[in-house]
Amino acid sequence: MSPASRKAAAAVAAATGEPFSLLGVENVAGGCIHTALSLTGRSSSGERRYFAKVDEAGRSAMLEAEADGLAALREAGALRVPATVAQGQDAEHAWLVLEWLDLGALEGPSAAVLGAALARQHRVPQARFGWRRDNFIGATPQENAAADDWAAFWRDRRLAPQLRLAARNRLPSKMIDRGERLAADCAGFFRNLAVRPSLLHGDLWSGNAAAERGIAVVFDPAVYAGHREADIAMTELFGGFPRDFLAAYFTDWPVEAGYTVRRDLYNLYHVLNHANLFAGAYVGQAADGIGKLLAEIA
């Protein structure tokens, strides 16, 4: 048992107000950035199991942001998210402990429930675009300073930071130049469209959604208030969602004309992020996406 797992267990005891004696620690899936663990232990009320993410103290902000996002989704009351048990840090380690859920794949019925629930969440009123704090998209910092103009928010808080990062990573200058041109003109994608702020999950690919006993669950959010189509778009980027998901969402709240083009604009943010994180084929995918979007506003 590592020092980090013991500290996470101590945090459980402090949060629940009862002893929690570790019986076993196992590495589990879900640790692309942090180390993901199953913590099994004995408390005064019986044996308990928790899911924990642990990391070095320097990454505590990522776990704090995740806890904040989960709290926001939980407060909205539309989507099922794992309960946060404890989150904290010391000089060496950081941890986030969540309830343990026995997760399985989304199937037709649970996917349909998720689609309808997401539409309800997107109706939760938000005052402005952005969020009360910056957070992370994967391992990349995500800027969320508030704005009243959606096109300006997407240009300045989403596309521009990724393009600056691409320049620091020495990605192709032609792609960056064309991307900057696209960002400067992105208001053209929102003409005659009234965009209102919705509470977004922010990182809704199929790896961040599952089902527990037939009930859809989402996790690992990158929450902010934005155009609802940005959430929907990402569900189509990598695939993996049953068709019942979008069918249920669109039945509840259809998207406006021009969605497929805006979908590609929204997904460009995530493709650029992958290019910055992993390079490889994502660089070419980003360059192709920029070219196609520029053709739309030529």
Side-chain angles (χ1 to χ4, degrees), residues 285-297:
Q285 186 179 353
D288 290 345
I290 289 169
K292 290 176 183 177
L293 287 163
L294 282 172
E296 293 287 342
I297 56 176

Side-chain angles (χ1 to χ4, degrees), residues 21-36:
S21 176
L22 273 179
L23 300 175
V25 178
E26 297 178 14
N27 288 86
V28 295
C32 296
I33 299 172
H34 315 286
T35 299

Side-chain angles (χ1 to χ4, degrees), residues 123-140:
R123 289 188 170 95
V124 174
Q126 303 294 311
R128 304 178 74 189
F129 300 110
W131 195 238
R132 57 197 177 209
R133 58 169 296 156
D134 291 344
N135 47 32
F136 296 83
I137 184 70
T140 306

Side-chain angles (χ1 to χ4, degrees), residues 8 25 38 42-43 96 102 105 117 124 141-142 149 162 174 181 220 236-237 245 284 289 294:
V25 178
S38 163
R42 183 175 291 109
S43 70
L96 172 64
D102 289 311
V124 174
Q142 178 169 267
D149 181 88
Q162 289 291 339
K174 180 179 179 182
R181 208 174 98 216
D220 289 349
E236 298 195 73
L237 178 58
F245 167 74
L294 282 172

Side-chain angles (χ1 to χ4, degrees), residues 17 28 38 96-97 109 113 124 130 133-134 142 151 185 188 190 209 231 250 263 265 282 294 298:
V28 295
S38 163
L96 172 64
V97 184
V113 170
V124 174
R133 58 169 296 156
D134 291 344
Q142 178 169 267
D185 294 338
F190 305 105
D231 256 358
F250 292 154
R263 175 192 64 196
L265 177 68
Y282 292 115
L294 282 172

Side-chain angles (χ1 to χ4, degrees), residues 21-180:
S21 176
L22 273 179
L23 300 175
V25 178
E26 297 178 14
N27 288 86
V28 295
C32 296
I33 299 172
H34 315 286
T35 299
L37 303 171
S38 163
L39 304 179
T40 302
R42 183 175 291 109
S43 70
S44 56
S45 54
E47 191 169 300
R48 294 286 182 267
R49 190 179 186 187
Y50 298 96
F51 174 81
K53 291 184 179 182
V54 297
D55 211 324
E56 60 187 31
R59 284 185 158 177
S60 63
M62 300 176 72
L63 298 176
E64 291 170 5
E66 183 174 344
D68 173 75
L70 289 170
L73 298 181
R74 190 178 306 109
E75 289 164 9
L79 297 174
R80 169 84 161 97
V81 299
T84 299
V85 178
Q87 183 271 312
Q89 68 177 101
D90 61 14
E92 297 176 325
H93 298 103
W95 53 85
L96 172 64
V97 184
L98 306 175
E99 69 172 310
W100 179 267
L101 299 174
D102 289 311
L103 299 176
L106 280 175
E107 297 178 345
S110 57
V113 170
L114 177 60
L118 185 65
R120 290 196 302 275
Q121 179 181 287
H122 285 167
R123 289 188 170 95
V124 174
Q126 303 294 311
R128 304 178 74 189
F129 300 110
W131 195 238
R132 57 197 177 209
R133 58 169 296 156
D134 291 344
N135 47 32
F136 296 83
I137 184 70
T140 306
Q142 178 169 267
E143 300 179 17
N144 290 321
D148 295 310
D149 181 88
W150 173 244
F153 180 89
W154 197 257
R155 179 192 67 218
D156 298 337
R157 308 284 183 257
R158 294 295 179 263
L159 295 181
Q162 289 291 339
L163 292 167
R164 290 194 297 269
L165 186 56
R168 290 198 294 273
N169 289 334
R170 300 182 181 275
L171 297 188
S173 58
K174 180 179 179 182
M175 181 194 78
I176 296 166
D177 291 344
R178 301 185 84 202
E180 290 173 344

